[in-house]
Amino acid sequence: MAHDFLFRITTTRFDEDYSPSDSSRITTNFANLARGEHRQENLRNALTMIDRRFNDLADWDNPNRNRYTLELEIISVAVQFAAEGEDQEFPLLEVLDIRIVDRLTGKRSQGIVGNNFSSYVRDFDFSVRLPAASEAAGGFTVPADFGDLHGKLFQHFLDSDTYQERFSVSPVICISVSTSKVYRRTENHHPILGVEYEQKDPSLTDEYFGKMGLSVRYFMPRGSVAPLAFYFRGDLLGDYTNLQLIGTISTMETFQKIYRPEIYNANSAAASVYQPTLDQQDYSVTKIAYDRDERSRLAAEQGKYADEHLMKPHGDLLERWAAGSLVPVG
């Protein structure tokens, strides 16, 4: 039963004319920005914020702070099943790819892929499976194999020919730090990533990304007010150039300023011992519309969609594959 599923990549330019595809998770940061009356203004303002932050950090040989601009592309990954019938293809995940354009030299260079991470299977795990397990147990509980299938699918994609032929380095995913944890500043300081924070009590998200083969480190770049969580495979400090790291920081810090201004657009910087909170009142709001309540509500709907169109028709096959009895191609 070899070759029961494989991966397919499609790409979509993320610019001021972007419109989400029918298969795109509508809770994704960039999809949320691209809806409503002010969608184009939202996108234009977000892209301007990204470029300005990039030039702020890439300040060498850049006296006017306008040398660079970023081109962003949404990488959509679908899993295709060989079985006959409906639901032969499912939108597995989406990430952002970055290309760095040097306006001075005309050179275009590859940034880091990953950045924002979107997954229907993660919605299923957190919005369907986890609540069901907790209800059955009469209190919050995390199944021992929670995230196993998602993690194996993600790692198999990274090791597949589909990924290897398209990307030369491993991805980095950059998200907000957890509001339930305390982070402590260290003496370690990176010239681009900034000051490092540590957190020795892994969150459920840390453990979930760990099953995807990703380690985590927390850094607060120069000019930032809170640390970001960087999930990576390999060597975060050694595998990427300064400009590549700046591309990820400028892109994801912009999204976090829009989505979580209480943390990332606060009017004072994180202390040496820091617990982020959404109850913070001393922060600035960007002029970019973002429906955070809708985002949370739709996550549950998308988890149910994954249950109906992926787990019910293909769950048995995926579980047998995860157990090692099937050998799909990439």
Side-chain angles (χ1 to χ4, degrees), residues 185-197 217 219-223 237:
R185 189 182 302 167
T186 73
E187 296 301 316
N188 191 36
H189 187 277
H190 184 270
I192 299 301
L193 292 168
V195 63
E196 184 168 20
Y197 279 71
R217 294 178 74 168
F219 284 93
M220 185 167 74
R222 169 173 58 84
L237 276 60

Side-chain angles (χ1 to χ4, degrees), residues 5-215:
F5 67 87
L6 51 80
F7 300 109
R8 183 175 71 91
I9 288 178
T10 56
T11 61
T12 306
R13 180 72 177 269
F14 180 66
D15 56 21
E16 64 182 53
D17 297 315
Y18 164 70
S19 293
S21 70
D22 292 338
S23 62
S24 180
R25 281 175 72 256
I26 49 179
T27 60
T28 305
N29 286 331
F30 39 79
N32 191 296
L33 294 177
R35 297 201 306 277
E37 180 182 357
H38 303 292
R39 56 174 302 280
Q40 194 166 51
E41 183 180 358
N42 276 347
L43 293 167
R44 187 181 302 117
N45 288 342
L47 293 167
T48 298
M49 286 176 64
I50 290 170
D51 279 356
R52 285 178 176 170
R53 182 59 169 143
F54 189 100
N55 283 286
D56 175 53
L57 289 171
D59 56 358
W60 59 93
D61 290 336
N62 189 8
N64 296 320
R65 300 295 191 272
N66 63 357
R67 177 171 176 170
Y68 300 98
T69 186
L70 297 188
E71 295 176 350
L72 304 180
E73 196 169 50
I74 300 164
I75 306 297
S76 302
V77 182
V79 56
Q80 295 180 315
F81 296 94
E84 298 289 336
E86 297 181 357
D87 298 317
Q88 288 180 289
E89 181 171 288
F90 186 82
L92 186 65
L93 61 91
E94 285 185 330
V95 291
L96 276 179
D97 192 21
I98 294 174
R99 201 163 286 274
I100 302 160
V101 181
D102 186 334
R103 292 188 175 111
L104 180 64
T105 65
K107 180 181 177 182
R108 298 170 75 251
S109 58
Q110 181 64 53
I112 299 174
V113 67
N115 303 289
N116 193 88
F117 179 74
S118 168
S119 165
Y120 272 109
V121 182
R122 184 173 62 169
D123 282 340
F124 167 77
D125 280 339
F126 279 91
S127 299
V128 176
R129 190 171 180 225
L130 190 60
S134 297
E135 182 179 359
F140 181 77
T141 187
V142 180
D145 63 348
F146 185 71
D148 284 1
L149 176 60
H150 182 269
K152 289 178 179 179
L153 282 169
F154 181 78
Q155 293 193 65
H156 183 63
F157 170 62
L158 296 192
D159 294 332
S160 70
D161 291 341
T162 304
Y163 183 90
Q164 299 291 333
E165 290 169 1
R166 178 70 170 73
F167 304 105
S168 60
V169 294
S170 296
V172 174
I173 296 167
C174 181
I175 65 174
S176 170
V177 287
S178 172
T179 57
S180 66
K181 303 299 178 181
V182 175
Y183 300 83
R184 287 176 168 79
R185 189 182 302 167
T186 73
E187 296 301 316
N188 191 36
H189 187 277
H190 184 270
I192 299 301
L193 292 168
V195 63
E196 184 168 20
Y197 279 71
E198 286 185 347
Q199 198 285 104
K200 299 188 186 236
D201 178 23
S203 67
L204 184 57
T205 297
D206 293 339
E207 293 173 348
Y208 194 82
F209 277 94
K211 292 190 175 183
M212 296 162 60
L214 303 178
S215 302

